[in-house]
Amino acid sequence: MSETLSGFFRRVTGKDALPYQERYGSDPFRPTLLIIPTGLGKTDAVTVPWLHSVACGDPRTPKRLVMILPRVNLTEQIAKVIRERRAAAGLDGVVDVLELMGGSNDNFEKVSPERFTVIVGTQDILVSRALNRGYVRRPPRWPMDFALLNNDCLWVIDEVQLAADALATTTQFAAFRREYGVFGSVPCVWMSATVDPKWLDTVDFGGVRRELRVIRLEADDESSGVVQRRVRAAKSVARAPESCRTPGGCAEFVLKHHMPGERTLVVVNTVARAREIWKELRKRSCAPLLLHSRFRPADRKRRVSDLVGGDGIIVSTQVLEAGIDISANRLISDLAPWGSLVQRFGRVNRYGELAHAEIWWVDRPLTEKQKALAEAEVLKPRDYEAVCRPYSTEEMEHGFSELESLRSASPADLGEVDGPPPWQNVLRRADLLDLFDTSPDVSGNDLDVSRFIRAGEEKDCWLAWRSWKNDEDLSGLPDIVDDELCPVRIGEVQEFAKAHGRDMRRWDFVNRAWATVDARRLYPGMVVLVRSEAGGYGQEEGWNPNSRERVSPVPTAAQGPAEADGDDPLSWLTYRQSLADHTRMVLEELGSILNRLSGLGIEAFQSELETAAARHDWGKAHPVMQATLHNVAEPDFTDPTFEFLAKQRRGDAALRHSRPHFRHELASALAMVAAGDPDLAAYLAAAHHGRVRVGIRSMPGESLSGGRAVARGIREGDVLPACVLAKGVSVPEMTLSLETMELGISEDGRRAWTDRALRLRDELGPFRLAFLEMLLRAADERASAKKASEVAACAR
C-alpha cells in the first residue's frame, strides 16, 4: 500500500489532518507527550497513524494499540470511533477492537498475540493488569495480561492530569521496559490539554525522557480555521449564586437558565450530589439525564447513547471530563481542581459553533446533610475536607484562585497548567519484580497494587446482584459476567456491608466457595455478589446504597460455575481427545503463532518453546489425571488398549480429581527437571495454566501423606508411566521428586525450583519471560478451541 498518511487520514476520518497530527504521524512509534487543547482530535492523531502503519505492512508496527483512559472516562465512545475508523480503512478483518470491562467475558483468550488489536479500557483495569494483579480477574489470567500489555504494544495514556498515581506507573513502566527488555517495542504516548511536562519526570524515567518529544500547537496549526474557531470559542465564566451549593438551589438555577432545544451540563464532584440534583430536577417536572460511573454496563451504554444523540439537561460527575465528544450551550460546574475545570470547560461550545456560551461555577458544594450542618452552624472547618472530596482542600483552593478573576474560558485565554504532579506513589524495581510472582500467601492474601493506580479514596470493588435462597443454592451458581458488574467505591461497600453483610458473598478461588464478605478485608478489584433483595441499585440512578428496592439481576447467557484453583476447564470439554493428538495440535498452533511474530526476537527461544509444547501435558499421564478423565478409581496402564487422554467430555469425566488442588502441569515440570530438559522449557510447561510459576508450595488442607511431601496434589515419589506424548515424542517412566520445593541447592547440585525461576526472570527480564509463557498458553488454548470447532462442525 502506497497511500500517504495525509490521504489515508482524509479517507478514514473525512477530515484533513491538522499539522500537529501530521508531525506526530511522521514518527508514530516514538515516546511522545501531546499537549493539545480539547476538541482537536488527539485520539485520531494517535490511532489513525497506527492503522495506516498496519495497512502499509510496516514491520515496526506494534501488534496492540492500548488506549488507557481515566476511570471517569467511558470506553464505549472511544471504542465506537475506533471501529468506525477501522471500517473506513478497510481493516475490519485485520484489526480487532476490544473494550475491557473486567470480569470473565473479556478474557485475553480472545486476543491472538499475532493479531493487530486495539484494546480500550480504564486505567483501573489496564494498569492493574499490566502490574500482574488484574482487577476483577481470576489469578490464573494475570500473567497473560502482564505479558500482552508489556510487549509489542503502543501505549496511549489519555488525559494524564486525571491519571493520578497511574501516571507515575506508566512512566516507570516505560523505564523498566527499556531496562529489562521486551519483545518488539512498547512506545508510550501521554496526551492531554492540561499537563505540565515535569509531571512525567519520575525517578527512573531519565533515559526515556531524553528521547521524549513534546508536540504542541504551532503557528501552522493556529493558522487553520478549524483551530482558530475552537481555541477562540466564546465561553463566559461567572460565579453561581450561593444557593447553588445545595442540590435544591442548583436545580432551581439550572431550570432558570436552561433553554429548550439546547444542551445544559451540570457537572458535580460526587455521585451522591449528582443523584440529589437529579432528583430535585425530577421533582420540578423535568426529565434530566443522570450519568456517572456507578452503573452496570447496559444501563451506562443507554445513557451514553442518549447523551451523544440529544439535547436537554445532563447531570453528571467527572465522567464528562474526558472521552465524551459532546458540546453544550452552558455548564454549571462544582468547584474542582484546575485541570479538571479546564476539561469541563472543553465540553462547552466545543467546536466554536456558538456565538456565545456560558459557564457558571459553584463554590464548595454541599450535600443535603452538609447543608443541614451548615444551617445549624455545626459544620466545623475540618468538615470542609469532606465537602471537598474526592479532592483535597489544596486542590480546591488552587481551582478557586484560578477562577476568581477568570471571565473567559476560551482555550486561548487559559494559561498553562502547573503545580505539583498528580501522583504520590512511584513503582520501583523491587515492586515490579515482587509482582512477577503471582502466588498468594497461605492465607490467600496478595500484594495490593492500588497505590500504583490511585492512592486516594477512589478505589473500587465491583458489585453484581443475584437471587438465592440459601447457601446450598450458591454451590452451583454460574460465574459472574461483565454485564452484571457495577463499580462502587470501597468505603461505600464497607458501609453497605454493615447493614447487608449477610447478603454479600465473594468467590474464594482457593477453597471453591462463595464466602461471606468481611468488610474489613475488601480490596480494590474484588467482585462482591449481593443478594437482589438487599437493594442498592436502580436502573435509572445506578448505585444507591439507600435504595431498598429489589435489584433485577441482569439476564446472561448460561455460564459454568466460577473457576477454582484446582479446576482444569480446558480438560473437561465437549469432546474426547488423546494426549498425543492434543500435543500435535499444540505444536502446530505454536508454529503458526511464531511464524507471524517473526522479527520480535523470539527465534532465540524457539527450541525451548517447542520442547515445552511437546512435553507441557506430560503430567496428564499421572494416575490421578487419567483416573479423572476415564472416570475410574485406578487406571490400568498394563492394558494394551489403554488410551492416554488429554480431554474428555464433561459428562464422561469425574467431577473432581481424587486429590484436591491437583495440578498436572506441576507433574510435567517435575518430570522435565528429572529428565534434564532446559530450565526454560520446564518453567514454561509449569506456568502454562498460570497456577505454578515462581514458587511450589503446599495448598491449604494438604499435609504430609505417609511421611511424603505434597504440593498441588503431587506427592513425593509419584510415578508417571511411560507413554507417547506425540508422534516422535516418547517418554519413559519417571519418578517425581518434590525436593526442588526446598530453597538452595541439593546435595547432588540440583537447584531449587524458585532459584531456577528467579534466574530465568533475571536473565530474560520479567516482560519477556512472561511473553514466552503466554505464547505456549495461547497455543494450548487455541488448539483446544480448534478441536472443539472441528467436533461441532462434524456434529452438524
Side-chain angles (χ1 to χ4, degrees):
M1 177 181 174
S2 58
E3 187 175 17
T4 64
L5 175 60
S6 297
F8 184 85
F9 197 104
R10 188 181 307 111
R11 177 167 65 85
V12 169
T13 68
K15 307 170 187 175
D16 287 326
L18 294 171
Y20 92 85
Q21 294 170 325
E22 293 267 14
R23 290 197 297 278
Y24 171 82
S26 67
D27 189 6
F29 308 133
R30 175 181 170 185
T32 302
L33 174 60
L34 279 176
I35 307 177
I36 304 296
T38 59
L40 290 177
K42 291 190 291 296
T43 299
D44 278 340
V46 294
T47 57
V48 175
W50 182 82
L51 290 170
H52 179 253
S53 189
V54 172
C56 291
D58 187 341
R60 301 175 304 151
T61 312
K63 284 293 189 298
R64 285 166 294 285
L65 169 59
V66 183
M67 299 291 295
I68 301 177
L69 311 174
R71 189 191 61 185
V72 295
N73 246 307
L74 301 178
T75 61
E76 291 90 347
Q77 191 182 28
I78 295 291
K80 178 177 180 291
V81 169
I82 292 173
R83 290 189 180 103
E84 291 171 353
R85 303 295 188 249
R86 176 188 64 178
L91 295 173
D92 276 347
V94 178
V95 174
D96 299 327
V97 180
L98 295 183
E99 298 171 51
L100 296 192
M101 305 301 294
S104 61
N105 54 324
D106 71 1
N107 283 340
F108 262 123
E109 61 261 27
K110 293 179 180 177
V111 177
S112 298
E114 79 282 13
R115 280 187 62 81
F116 291 107
T117 306
V118 182
I119 302 170
V120 184
T122 63
Q123 69 183 55
D124 296 79
I125 295 297
L126 288 172
V127 176
S128 68
R129 293 185 183 190
L131 286 164
N132 218 2
R133 293 299 185 279
Y135 288 178
V136 204
R137 295 286 268 175
R138 303 287 185 237
R141 304 304 301 184
W142 291 345
M144 287 193 82
D145 299 337
F146 178 76
L148 286 161
L149 290 171
N150 284 300
N151 293 271
D152 201 17
C153 295
L154 169 61
W155 271 36
V156 178
I157 302 95
D158 197 9
E159 306 299 358
V160 298
Q161 81 287 348
L162 303 176
D165 296 84
L167 172 56
T169 300
T170 63
T171 59
Q172 289 293 97
F173 262 127
F176 295 149
R177 294 187 193 111
R178 178 188 176 98
E179 176 180 345
Y180 291 116
V182 297
F183 288 117
S185 64
V186 190
C188 290
V189 177
W190 295 269
M191 60 188 196
S192 175
T194 52
V195 58
D196 184 338
K198 294 192 296 293
W199 294 352
L200 274 60
D201 292 335
T202 52
V203 61
D204 296 300
F205 191 63
V208 182
R209 189 69 162 92
R210 287 189 288 273
E211 299 175 2
L212 184 76
R213 64 174 170 175
V214 179
I215 294 180
R216 306 173 187 262
L217 295 185
E218 296 181 5
D220 52 355
D221 295 286
E222 293 170 355
S223 65
S224 162
V226 171
V227 175
Q228 284 284 325
R229 285 193 300 273
R230 297 188 181 186
V231 300
R232 300 192 181 282
K235 311 178 191 186
S236 66
V237 179
R239 183 171 181 166
E242 185 77 6
S243 61
C244 287
R245 296 181 66 192
T246 65
C250 187
E252 291 287 355
F253 184 80
V254 168
L255 290 175
K256 178 180 177 181
H257 287 267
H258 177 68
M259 300 294 291
E262 296 183 350
R263 177 179 281 153
T264 297
L265 299 182
V266 184
V267 182
V268 301
N269 295 342
T270 66
V271 175
R273 179 164 160 84
R275 279 198 308 262
E276 290 179 352
I277 293 173
W278 177 75
K279 288 179 179 178
E280 291 291 338
L281 287 167
R282 284 165 63 95
K283 289 178 185 177
R284 292 159 173 80
S285 301
C286 178
L289 176 70
L290 176 63
L291 185 66
H292 54 73
S293 60
R294 313 306 186 183
F295 280 100
R296 296 186 296 200
D299 297 330
R300 183 178 61 247
K301 286 181 180 180
R302 282 193 294 271
R303 273 151 187 79
V304 172
S305 178
D306 292 342
L307 170 72
V308 174
D311 49 28
I313 299 173
I314 300 157
V315 182
S316 174
T317 58
Q318 303 94 324
V319 294
L320 281 182
E321 288 180 15
I324 302 294
D325 191 11
I326 63 169
S327 182
N329 301 74
R330 66 190 51 79
L331 165 71
I332 294 89
S333 171
D334 281 354
L335 177 64
W338 179 237
S340 293
L341 289 167
V342 172
Q343 293 297 324
R344 297 178 191 187
F345 299 163
R347 271 60 195 163
V348 181
N349 199 8
R350 186 170 176 81
Y351 313 111
E353 75 280 20
L354 303 175
H356 177 69
E358 55 191 12
I359 296 169
W360 302 85
W361 58 275
V362 180
D363 184 18
R364 280 169 277 259
L366 299 171
T367 62
E368 289 295 342
K369 180 179 179 181
Q370 290 163 344
K371 174 191 172 186
L373 291 173
E375 290 174 345
E377 297 183 351
V378 294
L379 189 64
K380 300 178 176 62
R382 66 173 180 273
D383 294 323
Y384 279 100
E385 293 182 9
V387 173
C388 292
R389 287 175 185 167
Y391 306 116
S392 69
T393 53
E394 292 78 13
E395 288 176 308
M396 295 287 265
E397 289 294 341
H398 181 235
F400 183 87
S401 65
E402 293 285 347
L403 285 171
E404 268 193 304
S405 58
L406 190 68
R407 297 296 176 263
S408 168
S410 170
D413 295 329
L414 299 176
E416 294 208 352
V417 172
D418 57 10
W423 41 264
Q424 301 175 35
N425 299 292
V426 178
L427 181 77
R428 300 306 307 272
R429 291 178 183 83
D431 300 314
L432 175 69
L433 296 178
D434 284 347
L435 288 166
F436 184 79
D437 185 7
T438 53
S439 304
D441 64 27
V442 293
S443 62
N445 295 321
D446 213 315
L447 295 174
D448 181 6
V449 297
S450 62
R451 67 188 184 281
F452 302 127
I453 301 170
R454 52 181 82 250
E457 299 178 358
E458 295 287 302
K459 300 175 184 179
D460 293 344
C461 294
W462 271 257
L463 270 56
W465 284 263
R466 296 269 187 92
S467 288
W468 68 88
K469 294 180 181 177
N470 49 52
D471 285 351
E472 287 72 27
D473 286 350
L474 289 169
S475 59
L477 198 71
D479 199 4
I480 293 169
V481 298
D482 291 357
D483 288 345
E484 300 177 84
L485 296 172
C486 174
V488 178
R489 189 182 299 177
I490 283 183
E492 296 186 50
V493 179
Q494 290 171 331
E495 287 299 313
F496 189 73
K498 291 178 181 178
H500 303 286
R502 64 185 181 281
D503 293 323
M504 301 169 69
R505 299 288 188 275
R506 64 170 181 87
W507 179 244
D508 185 335
F509 178 77
V510 172
N511 295 307
R512 191 192 303 277
W514 286 99
T516 302
V517 168
D518 183 347
R520 298 166 299 178
R521 300 187 66 185
L522 296 172
Y523 57 81
M526 176 185 280
V527 174
V528 177
L529 185 66
V530 182
R531 196 191 299 262
S532 294
E533 290 71 20
Y537 187 90
Q539 285 188 328
E540 292 299 315
E541 58 183 346
W543 163 250
N544 181 358
N546 299 317
S547 174
R548 296 295 174 261
E549 294 186 11
R550 180 184 182 276
V551 181
S552 298
V554 174
T556 59
Q559 290 280 116
E563 183 180 349
D565 179 68
D567 289 343
D568 195 351
L570 292 181
S571 296
W572 284 262
L573 295 169
T574 58
Y575 60 87
R576 175 186 174 110
Q577 186 179 28
S578 71
L579 181 56
D581 189 48
H582 173 65
T583 303
R584 172 188 63 82
M585 294 185 71
V586 172
L587 284 165
E588 290 175 355
E589 293 301 322
L590 178 64
S592 174
I593 292 171
L594 294 179
N595 285 339
R596 296 184 63 184
L597 289 177
S598 61
L600 295 185
I602 300 170
E603 295 82 3
F605 308 98
Q606 185 163 340
S607 175
E608 288 91 341
L609 275 165
E610 290 172 346
T611 299
R615 300 188 176 218
H616 77 287
D617 273 351
W618 188 354
K620 283 191 174 181
H622 194 289
V624 168
M625 189 78 191
Q626 291 301 310
T628 301
L629 294 176
H630 285 275
N631 200 6
V632 296
E634 293 285 344
D636 184 2
F637 296 132
T638 64
D639 183 346
T641 65
F642 183 84
E643 181 181 35
F644 284 90
L645 296 179
K647 314 285 182 181
Q648 181 61 286
R649 289 178 290 270
R650 288 188 182 91
D652 294 341
L655 293 176
R656 299 278 185 271
H657 293 305
S658 60
R659 296 183 190 172
H661 307 294
F662 177 84
R663 299 307 314 173
H664 71 272
E665 64 269 31
L666 175 57
S668 299
L670 294 175
M672 292 173 71
V673 168
D677 287 331
D679 283 352
L680 177 58
Y683 175 84
L684 298 179
H688 82 276
H689 283 302
R691 266 84 164 183
V692 181
R693 298 183 71 240
V694 174
I696 300 174
R697 63 183 60 165
S698 299
M699 298 299 289
E702 288 188 319
S703 57
L704 293 176
S705 177
R708 296 188 296 166
V710 59
R712 296 280 183 171
I714 307 299
R715 295 173 182 168
E716 176 71 27
D718 279 352
V719 176
L720 301 184
C723 65
V724 176
L725 298 178
K727 185 177 180 179
V729 185
S730 297
V731 291
E733 180 180 284
M734 188 66 66
T735 300
L736 305 182
S737 172
L738 286 171
E739 184 182 23
T740 190
M741 288 175 62
E742 304 295 330
L743 297 177
I745 300 176
S746 66
E747 292 181 1
D748 59 3
R750 290 187 296 176
R751 293 187 303 276
W753 178 262
T754 297
D755 179 61
R756 295 168 189 254
L758 293 179
R759 183 178 60 82
L760 288 169
R761 182 203 67 186
D762 294 341
E763 288 181 357
L764 275 72
F767 306 122
R768 292 192 297 173
L769 180 56
F771 197 76
L772 296 175
E773 291 181 51
M774 181 276 304
L775 291 177
L776 176 58
R777 190 164 177 180
D780 186 28
E781 293 185 353
R782 188 176 303 180
S784 299
K786 185 175 182 179
K787 182 68 174 181
S789 297
E790 292 173 356
V791 171
C794 290
R796 291 194 294 268

